[in-house]
Amino acid sequence: MDELNTTDPWYSLTWFSPSTLSAFTWGQPLVLYGIPGVLILFIIRWLMRYYYNQKLPVALAQKDLNSTALAWFRLLPEVVFILMMALLLIALARPQKTNEKVEQWTEGIDIMLALDISQSMQIEDFTPNRLAAAKEVAHNFVSGRTQDRIGIVVFSGDAFSLAPLTTDYDLLKNYFDEINFEMIENRGTAIGSALGVLTNRMRESESKSKVAILISDGDNTAGNIDPITAAELASAYGIKIYTIIVGKEGMVPFGKDFFGRPNMVENTVDETTMRKIADIGGGQFFRVTDNEALSTVFAQIDAFEKAEIKETRFKDTSDYYYNYLVWAILFFLLWLALKSSFMSNILQD
């Protein structure tokens, strides 16, 4: 089957193949209905000539009524004229090839995950414990992002940047796997320091969307920066803050006794401070008490903070009417030449 090649010259016969004609879109498709109309008009014209034209009676002997194949050449001018009209109508219908092109691009988001690795994150009201559950959902969160730069801050009594903003998601997953309770010697929960470190990491970011996700299970008990002051500083740099408290209040399991029974310890949470941090940062506060709820919260944040996908569509249209117009002109000139030859029927014309 012939395929349309836009580099073919006008005289190439591939312009007349069914596959080429069917591949076109048409600027004026209704004009194509004129092609069978031309055929119908010529049939009507032939019938009218046959039945109504004046006939000149000529007496000839039967032996003189021999016909030859040359007699059929008298039909050639009309066939050429029909082809010329059909080609002209195809040209007027404006055969085209249209390629719709789509350009998409995204503007990524800068996201810093601040993860509490204090000793209380070993509490086992999550499976297997709070830190392991938080690492798992953070790992899955990173897997679902594209085009976004993500960094990691860990904190307990102090805070430090474990991974700068990067799109190397495999590297980030390896960092999550390596996070443990022994990475920071100082005990406590330095929420303000964690906000300060992530703000320092993001303050030179040129991204239009900057997001911090702070995961902790307790009160701010360490560090030399007040959490509220640190939140106000982050907000000044355009950082949206989501805060997540993991764990239950009251008596929670922490380790096991000599007989393998869970030790129950008292756990307190400063929910007011975490709520205020989220409010200052223009984000949201979440309180989760099990693995499923934590996964749901990260799914919500993932839905909230999607990179904006911008799309541009445009059509590249090429016209090919001129190929058929040239053929129509050539057939018209041929028709004029045939009308001046022996093929012309003087009695009819």
Side-chain angles (χ1 to χ4, degrees):
M1 181 181 293
D2 294 328
E3 293 185 1
L4 175 61
N5 186 347
T6 57
T7 61
D8 285 345
W10 65 268
Y11 50 82
S12 173
L13 295 181
T14 58
W15 297 105
F16 301 100
S17 69
S19 60
T20 296
L21 292 171
S22 62
F24 284 132
T25 56
W26 302 88
Q28 301 293 335
L30 294 178
V31 176
L32 295 174
Y33 289 104
I35 296 176
V38 169
L39 293 174
I40 293 171
L41 286 175
F42 270 86
I43 292 172
I44 293 173
R45 180 169 175 262
W46 180 83
L47 290 173
M48 291 181 66
R49 283 178 174 177
Y50 183 81
Y51 289 106
Y52 298 108
N53 273 14
Q54 291 183 349
K55 296 178 176 58
L56 180 64
V58 178
L60 294 172
Q62 184 66 33
K63 62 183 179 63
D64 296 324
L65 293 177
N66 295 331
S67 62
T68 66
L70 290 174
W72 292 100
F73 278 93
R74 289 182 300 167
L75 299 176
L76 189 57
E78 292 192 357
V79 172
V80 171
F81 190 82
I82 291 173
L83 291 174
M84 181 271 292
M85 290 296 297
L87 288 166
L88 185 60
L89 289 170
I90 291 175
L92 290 173
R94 290 186 60 198
Q96 302 171 336
K97 283 289 288 183
T98 301
N99 295 319
E100 185 175 42
K101 298 182 180 180
V102 180
E103 289 185 353
Q104 288 186 340
W105 68 96
T106 60
E107 184 172 327
I109 300 171
D110 282 353
I111 302 172
M112 290 296 296
L113 295 170
L115 183 59
D116 186 350
I117 59 170
S118 61
Q119 293 299 307
S120 60
M121 290 291 284
Q122 298 183 61
I123 292 175
E124 297 167 357
D125 50 354
F126 283 70
T127 305
N129 58 49
R130 294 174 178 178
L131 179 60
K135 286 166 56 176
E136 181 180 358
V137 295
H139 191 286
N140 294 335
F141 176 78
V142 169
S143 297
R145 307 303 293 188
T146 58
Q147 305 295 327
D148 302 323
R149 295 196 305 168
I150 300 176
I152 305 171
V153 170
V154 293
F155 65 97
S156 57
D158 289 320
F160 73 89
S161 175
L162 181 62
L165 290 167
T166 179
T167 56
D168 188 343
Y169 299 146
D170 290 334
L171 177 64
L172 291 170
K173 293 173 186 177
N174 290 334
Y175 276 128
F176 280 125
D177 293 338
E178 294 172 1
I179 291 175
N180 60 75
F181 298 102
E182 308 303 325
M183 299 182 79
I184 298 176
E185 293 183 0
N186 293 342
R187 303 305 181 193
T189 306
I191 294 175
S193 296
L195 289 172
V197 171
L198 70 85
T199 300
N200 188 54
R201 276 294 188 185
M202 301 185 80
R203 63 190 177 91
E204 295 182 358
S205 168
E206 297 180 356
S207 174
K208 291 183 179 180
S209 297
K210 292 179 280 189
V211 175
I213 302 175
L214 177 66
I215 307 169
S216 182
D217 69 341
D219 305 334
N220 182 73
T221 59
N224 53 10
I225 304 177
D226 176 65
I228 303 304
T229 302
E232 291 172 345
L233 179 62
S235 178
Y237 281 102
I239 302 172
K240 181 189 290 188
I241 306 173
Y242 292 95
T243 56
I244 304 173
I245 287 183
V246 293
K248 302 173 184 177
E249 283 191 282
M251 302 302 293
V252 292
F254 186 18
K256 296 181 180 180
D257 62 16
F258 179 77
F259 298 101
R261 295 173 299 187
N263 292 318
M264 304 302 290
V265 297
E266 182 75 20
N267 184 66
T268 60
V269 175
D270 185 4
E271 185 173 308
T272 301
T273 299
M274 294 288 276
R275 283 185 179 276
K276 192 168 184 180
I277 291 171
D279 184 59
I280 292 171
Q284 291 190 33
F285 165 79
F286 299 95
R287 177 76 183 271
V288 295
T289 57
D290 56 45
N291 297 60
E292 183 178 353
L294 183 58
S295 297
T296 301
V297 165
F298 264 84
Q300 291 180 20
I301 296 174
D302 184 56
F304 292 153
E305 301 299 333
K306 285 295 186 185
E308 182 181 2
I309 300 177
K310 299 180 180 179
E311 182 176 274
T312 299
R313 293 178 177 267
F314 59 92
K315 291 183 177 181
D316 181 18
T317 301
S318 300
D319 280 293
Y320 297 98
Y321 69 89
Y322 50 85
N323 295 309
Y324 300 95
L325 183 59
V326 172
W327 277 102
I329 293 172
L330 290 178
F331 273 86
F332 177 70
L333 295 175
L334 178 60
W335 176 75
L336 289 178
L338 292 175
K339 293 293 287 183
S340 303
S341 70
F342 71 93
M343 299 179 193
S344 177
N345 190 331
I346 299 174
L347 292 178
Q348 291 184 355
D349 298 332

